[in-house]
């Protein structure tokens, strides 16, 4: 384990400054370890990451040189032991590389601009209308119909008239094309781009989506309405209900509303009358945002202006609702709000806009990776593919085999075998309805993306440097654990022997034995304190699962509270708020130790491990300096500045 039980990630940060980010092939050699050169520039780069400005720079630099030589000796031992070949090392290295790659590609995709764009769009809501024509068996007819609709608009007919005449969706006809308000993230990104590019009153060109043909209109705009936290009573009505049953539900909703007006608890009404999933799981509470629900529902929600207001019963396609407004969550208008920015970035990362931006990078990557299509007969390849997928028979066909190269990158050939594996995976997802040429294009782009990700160091030197830093820090961690930390923590006999030889170093200073109790609930903590004061021996049962409690010995001045704790048995401190402000703590003094006393081995074990680690490390370094030849270029050392 690391010295002082230092957490792994903190250790990596602590040792990271030892590792140089770049190598300079024509740099001055400062020293060598077994003939492996370490340049002056590499050393200075490492030193300047965390320079000590409190003292003499020259002296600090020379002291640091000894530490850096020791680091290189340990690293050489790690390489000799081939610790980099361990699976856990490879996994951590690959995960770190994926993280760096993802961050770099996000930057390439201009994620900051996408977040900025999302923030700007979040500042307004757009009332949207639409003309929609669904596709049919005759593909020409729907396209002609949407073109006729566009021409009707151009001729001066109103959008209401056109959508009523040409839309194939009955609800749009009835609503005069009204889709309600939308905001950022409400629509697919390509549609959002069209809508937010429209000025108030403008309509778009024809847009062809997977579900049909569209013409959009920006009817009006308003400042963003934000979100509303609501509580609702929902009495479901289904299509199977008769008129009599539906009227009964309506009358029931009206009677509930009257009970609420007379003072009945909304919570009780939710539990008593709402559907089980709606009432019991969340007390009918939910957050409503623009474009999340149907227009009729959202209109009622946003008609409430003050927390506590309640709607009259109203009907939607789900049944009858009574809504109570709990809170209004306005849109954040400060783009520098870090919490809101983080939330927007998370939405962008999970939204199709970032995926679209990354997809647009593939053409650039194909050039960078030196993509080159090989010469082969496509018709022969499609015939061979049919045979291989249908019969698993992979013999050659007109020269096509599993080893036939389809295309290549700088350091990799992609073969028919890779193509078949891709198609088999697609087959599992039932996605082989597409023609082979289309699938080949997708396969080529996916292969290009995979190659770029796998060889990211070739295209971004900074990632290569960061990977080297991370890997060397990992190796240092592993070799230190092997030769120092693991030995120190596991060899109990050696630790006990070291303790017996250095007992004088492990002395208790005057102090107390005390109970420390912590809870987020101050009222509860006050009650626990009184119970413990009355019966301190029963503190475990008193605290139970209600609070965090621990009994330990403390030296004077090392107490976990800021109050002045007197050396007085039975003293109970006042609960005080912790630094984080989210909990309270008090102490109860069990026993007083006015004199110094010897720490037992168990009491001193952490300190003994720490001291013994230093001994092991010093002895190990002596062995390394005998094992490996270190040569220092004194002329270069003298020139260090």
């Amino acid at each position: 384990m690391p010295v002082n039980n230092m957490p792994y990630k903190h250790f990596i940060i602590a040792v990271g400054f030892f590792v140089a980010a770049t190598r300079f092939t024509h740099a001055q050699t400062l020293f060598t370890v077994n003939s492996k050169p370490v340049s002056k520039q590499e050393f200075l780069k490492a030193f300047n990451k965390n320079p000590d400005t409190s003292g003499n720079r020259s002296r600090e630099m020379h002291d640091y040189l000894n530490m850096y030589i020791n680091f290189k000796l340990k690293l050489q031992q790690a390489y000799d032991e081939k610790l980099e070949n361990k699976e856990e090392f490879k996994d951590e290295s690959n995960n770190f590389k994926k993280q760096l790659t993802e961050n770099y590609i996000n930057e390439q995709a201009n994620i900051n601009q996408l977040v900025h764009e999302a923030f700007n769009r979040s500042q307004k809501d757009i009332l949207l209308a639409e003309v929609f024509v669904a596709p049919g068996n005759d593909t020409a007819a729907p396209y002609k119909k949407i073109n006729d609709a566009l021409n009707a608009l151009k001729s001066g007919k109103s959008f209401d008239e056109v959508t009523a005449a040409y839309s194939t969706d009955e609800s749009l006809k009835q609503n005069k094309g009204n889709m309600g308000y939308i905001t950022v993230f409400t629509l697919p990104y390509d549609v959002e781009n069209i809508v937010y590019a429209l000025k108030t009153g403008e309509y778009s060109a024809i847009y062809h989506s997977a579900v049909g043909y569209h013409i959009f209109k920006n009817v009006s705009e308003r400042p963003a309405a934000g979100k509303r936290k609501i509580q609702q009573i929902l009495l479901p009505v289904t299509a199977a209900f008769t008129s009599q049953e539906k009227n009964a539900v309506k009358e029931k909703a009206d009677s509930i509303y009257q009970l609420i007006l007379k003072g009945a608890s909304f919570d009780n009404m939710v539990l008593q009358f709402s559907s089980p999933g709606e009432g019991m799981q969340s007390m009918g509470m939910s957050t409503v945002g623009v474009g999340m629900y149907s227009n009729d529902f959202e209109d009622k929600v946003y008609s409430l202006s003050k927390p506590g207001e309640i709607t009259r019963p109203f009907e939607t396609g789900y049944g009858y609702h009574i809504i109570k407004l709990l809170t209004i969550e306005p849109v954040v208008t400060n783009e520098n709000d870090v919490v809101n920015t983080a939330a927007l970035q998370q939405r962008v990362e999970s939204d199709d806009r970032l995926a679209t931006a990354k997809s647009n990078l593939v053409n650039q990557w194909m050039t960078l990776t030196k993509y080159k299509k090989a010469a082969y007969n496509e018709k022969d390849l499609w015939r061979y593919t049919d045979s291989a997928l249908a019969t698993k028979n992979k013999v050659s066909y007109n020269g096509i085999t599993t080893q036939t190269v389809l295309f290549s990158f700088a350091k990799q050939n992609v073969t028919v075998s890779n193509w078949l594996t891709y198609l088999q995976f697609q087959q599992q997802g039932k996605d082989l309805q597409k023609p082979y040429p289309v699938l080949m294009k997708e396969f080529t782009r996916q292969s290009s993306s995979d190659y770029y990700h796998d060889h990211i160091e070739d295209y971004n030197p900074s990632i290569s440097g960061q990977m080297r830093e991370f890997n060397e820090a990992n190796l240092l961690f592993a070799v230190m654990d092997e030769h120092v930390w693991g030995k120190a923590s596991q060899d109990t006999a050696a630790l006990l022997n070291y303790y017996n030889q250095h007992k004088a170093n492990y002395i208790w200073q005057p102090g107390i034995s005390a109970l420390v109790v912590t809870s987020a609930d101050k009222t509860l903590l006050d009650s626990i304190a009184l119970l413990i004061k009355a019966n301190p021996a029963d503190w475990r049962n008193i605290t139970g699962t209600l609070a965090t409690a621990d009994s330990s010995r403390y030296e004077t001045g090392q107490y976990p509270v800021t109050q002045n704790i007197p050396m007085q048995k039975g003293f109970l401190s006042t609960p005080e708020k912790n630094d984080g402000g989210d909990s309270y703590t008090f102490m109860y003094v069990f026993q007083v130790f006015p004199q110094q006393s010897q720490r037992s081995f168990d009491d001193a074990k952490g300190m003994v491990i720490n001291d013994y680690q230093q001994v092991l490390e010093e002895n190990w370094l002596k062995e390394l300096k005998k094992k490996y030849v270190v040569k220092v270029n004194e002329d270069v050392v003298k020139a260090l500045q």
Side-chain angles (χ1 to χ4, degrees):
M1 66 190 301
V3 62
N4 292 331
N5 300 319
M6 187 185 297
Y8 171 73
K9 67 177 183 179
H10 293 159
F11 170 76
I12 292 297
I13 293 171
V15 301
F17 70 91
F18 279 127
V19 187
T22 2
R23 301 294 194 269
F24 296 84
T25 54
H26 301 292
Q28 289 180 291
T29 297
L30 182 61
F31 65 89
T32 59
V33 176
N34 266 22
S35 300
K36 292 184 179 179
V38 176
S39 71
K40 170 186 173 182
Q41 286 84 347
E42 176 187 336
F43 170 77
L44 288 175
K45 194 171 187 70
F47 175 78
N48 288 327
K49 285 185 178 181
N50 290 275
D52 184 350
T53 58
S54 61
N56 181 279
R57 177 178 170 84
S58 177
R59 183 170 60 252
E60 296 292 343
M61 194 177 294
H62 283 75
D63 291 342
Y64 185 80
L65 176 59
N66 292 326
M67 296 169 61
Y68 202 66
I69 290 173
N70 290 343
F71 159 67
K72 288 294 184 178
L73 287 168
K74 295 171 185 176
L75 199 60
Q76 185 60 52
Q77 179 72 27
Y79 283 122
D80 286 353
E81 293 176 3
K82 301 187 184 304
L83 297 181
E84 74 276 14
N85 293 332
K86 288 189 173 183
E87 288 304 315
E88 58 266 31
F89 178 88
K90 292 179 181 178
D91 288 344
E92 289 176 359
S93 181
N94 288 335
N95 288 336
F96 185 67
K97 179 180 177 180
K98 287 179 182 177
Q99 179 184 338
L100 289 177
T101 301
E102 196 64 28
N103 291 339
Y104 174 62
I105 290 175
N106 282 350
E107 290 179 8
Q108 278 190 307
N110 208 351
I111 189 172
N112 291 335
Q113 174 58 32
L114 291 174
V115 172
H116 173 69
E117 176 187 74
F119 172 80
N120 285 338
R121 292 179 177 180
S122 74
Q123 301 303 297
K124 70 178 180 181
D125 303 332
I126 296 176
L127 182 60
L128 190 64
E130 175 188 22
V131 179
F132 172 72
V133 177
N137 295 328
D138 179 5
T139 56
Y143 186 69
K144 180 180 183 304
K145 191 168 189 177
I146 197 70
N147 264 297
D148 290 344
L150 182 61
N151 289 330
L153 288 171
K154 289 179 178 178
S155 70
K157 289 190 176 181
S158 72
F159 205 87
D160 294 356
E161 290 180 275
V162 172
T163 193
Y166 294 95
S167 285
T168 59
D169 185 288
E170 286 302 319
S171 63
L172 279 177
K173 286 176 177 287
Q174 294 173 11
N175 295 333
K176 298 180 179 180
N178 181 16
M179 296 176 66
Y181 280 97
I182 64 95
T183 188
V184 65
F185 302 117
T186 302
L187 303 170
Y189 184 53
D190 50 354
V191 178
E192 182 186 300
N193 283 334
I194 294 171
V195 171
Y196 271 85
L198 297 173
K199 296 179 181 178
T200 302
E202 282 186 345
Y203 56 83
S204 71
I206 296 170
Y207 172 72
H208 185 199
S209 75
V211 297
Y213 296 94
H214 314 254
I215 300 172
F216 300 105
K217 180 181 179 181
N218 179 338
V219 178
S220 63
E221 299 179 357
R222 71 182 184 194
K227 294 181 179 180
R228 303 289 186 269
K229 187 172 183 181
I230 65 163
Q231 188 175 22
Q232 74 161 318
I233 299 166
L234 171 59
L235 304 180
V237 173
T238 70
F241 276 39
T242 65
S243 297
Q244 186 176 3
E245 288 172 328
K246 185 175 179 181
N247 286 333
V249 175
K250 181 179 184 304
E251 290 176 3
K252 185 178 181 180
D254 289 336
S255 65
I256 293 171
Y257 179 68
Q258 292 302 320
L259 288 173
I260 294 171
L261 291 182
K262 293 176 181 178
S265 164
F266 202 93
D267 287 348
N268 290 341
M269 295 296 100
V270 170
L271 293 173
Q272 187 174 349
F273 295 107
S274 206
S275 59
E278 187 71 36
M280 297 303 293
Q281 293 180 13
S282 62
M283 287 297 295
M285 296 180 189
S286 61
T287 299
V288 177
V290 173
M292 291 174 60
Y293 298 95
S294 61
N295 295 346
D296 48 0
F297 184 80
E298 284 188 16
D299 286 345
K300 292 294 184 182
V301 170
Y302 282 92
S303 70
L304 301 173
S305 58
K306 295 180 181 178
E309 285 187 345
I310 298 171
T311 64
R312 301 182 67 87
F314 66 94
E315 183 185 5
T316 71
Y318 296 96
Y320 284 90
H321 309 254
I322 304 173
I323 294 175
K324 178 181 180 180
L325 178 62
L326 299 178
T327 59
I328 296 174
E329 301 176 15
V331 167
V332 176
T333 57
N334 178 10
E335 191 170 4
N336 296 320
D337 186 303
V338 293
V339 175
N340 185 60
T341 299
L344 285 175
Q345 179 164 329
Q346 187 175 22
R347 292 290 301 273
V348 166
E349 288 175 349
S350 60
D351 188 66
D352 57 350
R353 65 196 67 211
L354 184 59
T356 299
K358 288 181 178 180
S359 178
N360 292 336
L361 291 171
V362 175
N363 290 337
Q364 175 186 337
W365 295 344
M366 291 176 74
T367 301
L368 286 173
T369 58
K370 298 183 179 178
Y371 162 81
K372 182 179 181 182
K373 183 180 178 181
Y376 60 87
N377 186 295
E378 288 190 353
K379 291 182 179 179
D380 288 342
L381 175 62
W382 307 150
R383 293 189 184 100
Y384 177 83
T385 300
D386 282 335
S387 174
L389 291 177
T391 66
K392 310 300 180 185
N393 183 8
K394 298 181 181 178
V395 298
S396 64
Y397 182 88
N398 283 358
I400 301 289
T401 71
T402 56
Q403 299 307 309
T404 299
V405 175
L406 300 177
F407 50 86
S408 63
F409 301 107
K411 299 177 182 178
Q412 178 185 333
N413 290 331
V414 179
T415 66
V416 170
S417 177
N418 304 125
W419 160 246
L420 293 175
T421 300
Y422 174 79
L423 291 180
Q424 287 164 355
F425 179 79
Q426 297 298 314
Q427 201 170 36
Q428 294 174 5
K430 310 297 182 185
D431 198 20
L432 283 187
Q433 288 79 17
K434 299 176 182 177
Y436 283 148
V438 174
L439 288 167
M440 177 57 77
K441 183 177 180 180
E442 293 176 358
F443 171 61
T444 302
R445 290 177 64 82
Q446 183 62 54
S447 299
S448 301
S449 177
D450 291 343
Y451 181 87
Y452 184 77
H453 280 72
D454 292 341
H455 297 81
I456 191 70
E457 304 98 319
D458 295 343
Y459 310 105
N460 186 337
S462 68
I463 287 182
S464 179
Q466 290 177 74
M467 284 297 302
R468 185 165 50 248
E469 283 194 18
F470 180 82
N471 289 336
E472 290 187 349
N474 255 359
L475 285 175
L476 180 60
F477 180 93
V479 78
M480 286 289 288
D481 190 50
E482 182 75 21
H483 293 274
V484 178
W485 300 326
K487 285 185 177 181
S489 61
Q490 296 167 12
D491 194 343
T492 303
L495 287 174
L496 184 58
N497 181 58
Y498 187 86
Y499 165 78
N500 288 327
Q501 292 178 3
H502 302 85
K503 274 189 173 182
N505 295 337
Y506 308 112
I507 302 297
W508 278 115
Q509 297 302 315
I512 59 174
S513 171
L515 174 70
V516 178
V517 184
T518 300
S519 173
D521 189 331
K522 185 176 183 301
T523 302
L524 174 63
L525 200 65
D526 288 336
S527 300
I528 291 174
L530 293 176
L531 292 172
I532 288 176
K533 180 71 172 178
N535 190 7
D538 197 35
W539 65 268
R540 289 183 177 84
N541 291 327
I542 293 171
T543 55
T545 59
L546 300 175
T548 302
D550 184 40
S551 173
S552 188
R553 181 166 173 173
Y554 300 91
E555 295 179 332
T556 301
Q558 302 301 314
Y559 306 142
V561 296
T562 60
Q563 295 176 54
N564 180 29
I565 306 297
M567 296 181 68
Q568 175 186 334
K569 183 177 180 179
F571 176 81
L572 177 69
S573 72
T574 303
E576 66 177 50
K577 185 179 290 188
N578 295 340
D579 290 340
D582 56 354
S583 60
Y584 296 82
T585 297
F586 73 80
M587 291 183 70
Y588 177 83
V589 179
F590 284 135
Q591 194 172 351
V592 173
F593 302 98
Q595 306 296 329
Q596 290 184 341
S597 61
Q598 180 67 53
R599 287 179 184 259
S600 68
F601 174 69
D602 287 338
D603 288 340
K605 191 172 182 179
M607 301 167 69
V608 175
I609 289 175
N610 185 66
D611 293 344
Y612 189 54
Q613 284 175 349
Q614 295 182 39
V615 173
L616 287 176
E617 185 174 2
E618 290 172 3
N619 292 337
W620 179 43
L621 278 170
K622 290 177 183 177
E623 294 174 6
L624 292 178
K625 289 175 180 177
K626 292 177 182 178
K627 181 177 180 180
Y628 301 117
V629 177
V630 177
K631 293 184 178 180
V632 179
N633 188 332
E634 295 296 342
D635 290 337
V636 178
V637 171
K638 291 177 183 177
L640 287 176
Q641 295 184 13

